[in-house]
Amino acid sequence: MLSFFKRDPAKKLRKAYMAKLEQAMQAQRSGDIKSYSFITSEADVMHKEIMKLEANDK
């Protein structure tokens, strides 16, 4: 019906995903490899969730 009023659930998650990647890059640059790996694994979980939401939309 009025699908343009429907919010994209993946949009907010994509924004948080990009922020996590930025945070991981900063940790890597500062030499904190342990934090980098932890943040990257969190970002990977977010990415999988985004892919699942996008697959359901199709």
Side-chain angles (χ1 to χ4, degrees):
M1 188 172 164
L2 295 175
S3 63
F4 59 88
F5 286 122
K6 186 176 174 184
R7 293 185 183 222
D8 183 14
K11 185 176 181 181
K12 185 176 180 182
L13 195 55
R14 270 189 227 105
K15 189 174 181 178
Y17 172 69
M18 294 307 289
K20 274 290 181 196
L21 290 179
E22 180 73 27
Q23 188 180 9
M25 181 190 66
Q26 293 300 326
Q28 184 182 29
R29 283 186 176 177
S30 69
D32 191 0
I33 302 302
K34 187 175 182 179
S35 292
Y36 167 74
S37 63
F38 181 73
I39 296 168
T40 304
S41 66
E42 289 177 340
D44 186 47
V45 170
M46 288 177 155
H47 185 262
K48 288 178 183 177
E49 185 67 28
I50 292 168
M51 298 305 281
K52 187 166 64 169
L53 287 172
E54 289 177 351
N56 287 340
D57 287 343
K58 291 181 181 178

